[in-house]
Amino acid sequence: MTLITYYHGRCLLSLLYLTLFSISILIQSTAATPVLNSLKARQDGIPPAPADPPLQPGDGSGPWKSEDPSWGDYLLEIKYRGIASGADIKGLHNAADNMRYYLDGSGKDLNTPPESIMKDLANFKAAVHATAQNSAKSTYTKAAASPGAPETFSTPWDVYGYADGNFNDDWFYAMGAFSYSVSGKVTVSGGKSSLEYVVHIFDRYNWDSGKSTNLGPINIKDDELARLHKVGLAREFVIRGSSAVQKVDDYDPNVTLPEPDTDGDGRGRD
């Protein structure tokens, strides 16, 4: 392949990208928001998210840009950008955004506010509610024994998995199973008590050899998407986020907590 042919091909691919995606605008959240949320939580005396869950054997596609791309790889990139646009048309906006973020290849952490997931997935909101309820109740006893001094808690990462009814199509394709944690503090002072807590989520957007899933009539192959990471036409990344502080004044451990606020501060995606 001559140098002229190569650059001609790259120009053609660029034109195809512009044509294919002129109807869509990528709105990407940055990694700054969860960091700011974490700092705010620390200033409020609420523990930050736990350390990232360890990588499991065989997790991910291996080193980034470890091989040279072929023409077939460029065609694969076009294919999956087209699938992302199709997902947008079907209303799967989070799935489309995450796929495009992967294909854009920055590899930087992507913020996803837990509020936006709780708003869409009732089972996840219920899981967070139960975790906060149980953790706060057990922490209250310690707080009551030393009035005025807040007692904190931080739950280990728990996996929100593929049980029936856990996902809608958008979040299934956007993240699949992911990890979550709740951290907070209980304060007892002057005969009153209060609770403040934060919800954290974590997921690695990567691929496992041999797996595939269907999006309508289209079969999405992990091996194809992993290939794009290996040749540098995409890059795996981490999804993480911390909610705004959830506050419960006049907290009573014997009364069911209010459901978590899913509005947050408006950082969810459109």
Side-chain angles (χ1 to χ4, degrees), residues 79-101:
K79 169 186 173 180
Y80 281 101
R81 288 191 181 276
I83 289 174
S85 289
D88 250 340
I89 292 170
K90 289 176 64 68
L92 309 180
H93 302 305
N94 291 291
D97 284 352
N98 287 3
M99 176 62 75
R100 280 193 291 262
Y101 192 83

Side-chain angles (χ1 to χ4, degrees), residues 206-221:
N206 56 20
W207 314 100
D208 302 311
S209 180
K211 291 184 179 180
S212 68
T213 189
N214 292 321
L215 177 57
I218 301 172
N219 185 245
I220 298 174
K221 296 180 174 64

Side-chain angles (χ1 to χ4, degrees), residues 58-66 206-207 226 229-231 235-236:
D59 196 14
S61 308
W64 176 67
K65 209 174 182 179
S66 56
N206 56 20
W207 314 100
H229 169 87
K230 291 176 183 177
V231 300
R235 194 167 189 175
E236 295 176 344

Side-chain angles (χ1 to χ4, degrees), residues 17 47 73 112 151 153 177 200 202 230 238:
Y17 293 158
D73 296 323
T112 296
E151 286 289 339
F153 63 88
H200 313 282
F202 179 94
K230 291 176 183 177
V238 166

